[in-house]
């Protein structure tokens, strides 16, 4: 069967059907070489020059990710931050960026500093009232519209198609951080996005043992080639071993994401009316303000949710401290469940409520996770 006829689950599980031509190995090899030999005529007939430009170990992971996102091309980078900042590095002084007020905190802080240093015009629209973006966009001047959906850690769901129309009408490109949705649940390019970004450290790898990022483009144009040069010239390149581990993780992506989503839905439904929980923020609940948008553009609701604990910050911190099974740790998207008190992590100026706990739900037994949360809430 041709790859074009195969389902995404099959392509991922079989690493695009790759079998090593030299050995017949069904696991792709790692290419550690940093440089490649020229032919006698001084050309590079194999297409590889230097590992900061490309490496055969990247190829399968990038091809697979492009297929999963229905994109024209993909590239993997050294980290999620590398992938996130790369599009902004193509801007010129005076260009305008429009971004959601709620996004990954590290990127938001970097973007504010970058805009000030490089004289980039930057506006944030209210992610809770996304229609405010229409009054902030600047036709001819806005170059990038950046959204994250579902957005971390309130899990607002932004209408990708609406933002694509807004951006394109102003001559801008829409970039979507789809880290928490993954291509299993959402494929922003199908809704008009120009670039999809992933912190591949999270769900794409899924085992909390790789630092990586990824970008996928809707078309291989001049801007995409500028982004490739940014990766090479800034040294934002991933190591071959990490690229190999990333591909290994992607082979189980569909199983992991669906199990985590199933668990998160069960937990959200169990605690949405709990006496010691003021609210559950999860797009899979009909009461969530992003539920209808999620139904329109997602094939599930993901493994991320937040609980706002009755009793405020002190109670939230105590609940996290009393969890026995769910680990208190940064990051998300691994097979193990994690919890964070995000306001403490983000510090002064955070828009995150102080009573909020963010959960990355893993692939454990849902009943065990519910029991752990119950016993921690019982200790309030």
């Amino acid at each position: 069967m041709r790859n074009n006829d195969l389902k995404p689950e099959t392509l991922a599980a079989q690493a695009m059907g790759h079998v090593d031509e030299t050995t017949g190995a069904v696991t792709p090899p790692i290419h550690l070489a940093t440089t490649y030999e020229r032919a006698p005529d001084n050309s590079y007939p194999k297409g590889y020059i230097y590992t900061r430009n490309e490496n055969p170990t990247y190829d399968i992971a990038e091809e697979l990710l492009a297929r999963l996102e229905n994109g024209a091309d993909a590239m993997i980078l050294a980290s999620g931050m590398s992938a996130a900042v790369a599009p902004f590095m193509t801007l010129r002084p005076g260009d305008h960026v429009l971004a959601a007020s709620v996004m990954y905190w590290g990127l938001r802080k970097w973007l504010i500093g970058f805009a000030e240093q490089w004289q980039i015009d930057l506006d944030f629209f209210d992610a809770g009232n996304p229609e405010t973006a229409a009054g902030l966009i600047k036709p001819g001047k806005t170059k990038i519209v950046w959204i994250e959906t579902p957005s971390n850690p309130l899990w607002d769901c932004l209408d990708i198609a609406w933002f694509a129309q807004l951006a394109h009408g102003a001559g801008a490109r829409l970039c979507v951080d789809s880290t928490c949705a993954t291509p299993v649940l959402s494929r922003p390019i199908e809704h008009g996005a120009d670039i999809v970004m992933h912190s591949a450290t999270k769900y794409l790898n899924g085992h909390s043992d790789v630092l990586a990022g990824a970008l996928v483009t809707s078309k291989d144009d001049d801007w995409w080639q500028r982004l490739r040069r940014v990766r090479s010239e800034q040294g934002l390149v991933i190591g071959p071993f990490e690229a190999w581990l990333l591909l290994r993780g992607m082979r189980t992506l569909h199983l992991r994401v669906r199990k985590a989503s199933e668990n998160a839905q069960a937990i959200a439904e169990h605690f949405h009316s709990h006496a010691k929980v003021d609210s559950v923020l999860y797009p899979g609940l009909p009461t969530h303000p992003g539920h209808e948008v999620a139904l329109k553009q997602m094939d599930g609701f993901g493994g991320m949710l937040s609980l706002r604990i009755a009793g405020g910050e002190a109670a939230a911190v105590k609940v996290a401290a009393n969890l026995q099974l769910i680990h208190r740790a940064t990051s998300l998207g691994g097979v193990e469940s994690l919890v964070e008190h995000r306001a403490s992590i983000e510090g002064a100026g955070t828009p995150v409520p102080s009573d909020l706990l963010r959960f990355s739900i893993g692939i454990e037994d849902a009943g065990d996770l519910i029991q752990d949360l119950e016993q921690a809430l019982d200790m309030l």
Side-chain angles (χ1 to χ4, degrees):
M1 298 176 66
R2 299 176 304 169
N3 275 353
N4 288 341
D5 300 325
L6 299 176
K7 302 294 185 183
E9 294 89 337
T10 303
L11 294 172
Q14 294 208 2
M16 298 294 294
H18 178 86
V19 176
D20 184 58
E21 293 181 359
T22 302
T23 65
V26 298
T27 300
I30 305 173
H31 295 271
L32 297 175
T34 58
T35 192
Y36 303 87
E37 188 177 38
R38 293 178 186 266
D41 65 0
N42 214 35
S43 66
Y44 286 100
K46 302 294 179 63
Y48 300 100
I49 299 172
Y50 190 62
T51 197
R52 190 157 46 81
N53 301 315
E54 59 271 311
N55 181 297
T57 318
Y58 309 159
D59 292 351
I60 303 173
E62 291 178 342
E63 183 184 0
L64 174 59
L65 187 54
R67 284 293 303 275
L68 294 181
E69 289 284 7
N70 284 332
D73 197 13
M75 61 178 169
I76 54 177
L77 298 95
S79 66
M81 277 297 289
S82 296
V85 305
F88 300 107
M89 290 183 176
T90 67
L91 298 175
R92 296 179 173 88
D95 287 345
H96 178 241
V97 171
L98 181 59
S101 58
V102 178
M103 63 164 74
Y104 170 53
W105 187 245
L107 176 60
R108 189 177 191 273
K109 289 195 298 182
W110 177 88
L111 186 55
I112 291 170
F114 175 79
E116 181 179 356
Q117 182 177 3
W118 292 99
Q119 300 176 27
I120 302 298
D121 187 8
L122 173 63
D123 282 311
F124 291 103
F125 67 88
D126 182 358
N129 296 285
E131 64 277 2
T132 59
L136 294 171
I137 199 159
K138 301 177 180 181
K141 186 178 179 183
T142 304
K143 302 302 180 183
I144 291 177
V145 176
W146 183 279
I147 65 173
E148 178 182 348
T149 184
S151 62
N152 181 3
L154 304 179
W155 314 120
D156 294 312
C157 294
L158 302 180
D159 190 324
I160 298 169
W162 186 86
F163 275 95
Q165 185 176 17
L166 179 70
H168 297 160
R173 291 180 171 90
L174 176 64
C175 301
V176 179
D177 181 345
S178 194
T179 295
C180 293
T182 82
V184 177
L185 305 179
S186 179
R187 292 159 298 281
I189 288 171
E190 295 178 359
H191 300 280
D194 298 286
I195 292 285
V196 180
M197 174 265 169
H198 291 279
S199 175
T201 306
K202 312 305 194 290
Y203 284 102
L204 293 184
N205 171 59
H207 291 81
S208 303
D209 57 9
V210 170
L211 189 67
L215 293 171
V216 186
T217 184
S218 64
K219 53 187 175 182
D220 186 354
D221 57 7
D222 290 343
W223 191 54
W224 178 248
Q225 292 306 314
R226 287 172 62 194
L227 280 170
R228 283 200 165 275
R229 290 194 295 274
V230 166
R231 180 179 73 166
S232 175
E233 293 165 2
Q234 297 290 328
L236 306 179
V237 66
I238 192 171
F241 183 58
E242 288 75 19
W244 184 88
L245 284 174
L246 174 59
L247 178 62
R248 185 192 64 172
M250 289 171 65
R251 296 177 78 159
T252 60
L253 176 66
H254 292 79
L255 292 174
R256 290 185 287 100
V257 169
R258 286 173 179 153
K259 175 59 176 174
S261 300
E262 177 185 307
N263 282 352
Q265 184 74 40
I267 292 167
E269 291 175 357
H270 181 89
F271 287 101
H272 84 278
S273 59
H274 196 285
K276 296 183 179 180
V277 176
D278 278 344
S279 62
V280 177
L281 306 181
Y282 184 66
L285 295 177
T287 53
H288 189 275
H291 181 67
E292 292 302 318
V293 173
L295 283 175
K296 182 173 71 171
Q297 66 188 26
M298 297 180 72
D299 297 324
F301 304 105
M304 300 300 301
L305 61 84
S306 296
L307 302 183
R308 297 190 65 176
I309 306 300
E313 180 175 359
V317 171
K318 185 176 181 180
V319 169
N322 290 329
L323 290 166
Q324 299 176 4
L325 180 62
I326 300 172
H327 300 296
R328 294 176 298 278
T330 292
S331 200
L332 57 94
V335 293
E336 64 287 309
S337 294
L338 305 177
V339 63
E340 270 195 323
H341 182 251
R342 284 301 301 173
S344 297
I345 299 297
E346 297 184 6
T350 176
V352 177
S354 62
D355 60 358
L356 182 145
L357 293 177
R358 186 193 76 179
F359 291 85
S360 172
I361 302 302
I363 65 171
E364 305 95 337
D365 176 78
D368 287 343
L369 298 174
I370 289 171
Q371 184 178 358
D372 190 33
L373 270 165
E374 283 282 13
Q375 65 82 26
L377 288 165
D378 284 345
M379 298 178 73
L380 288 179

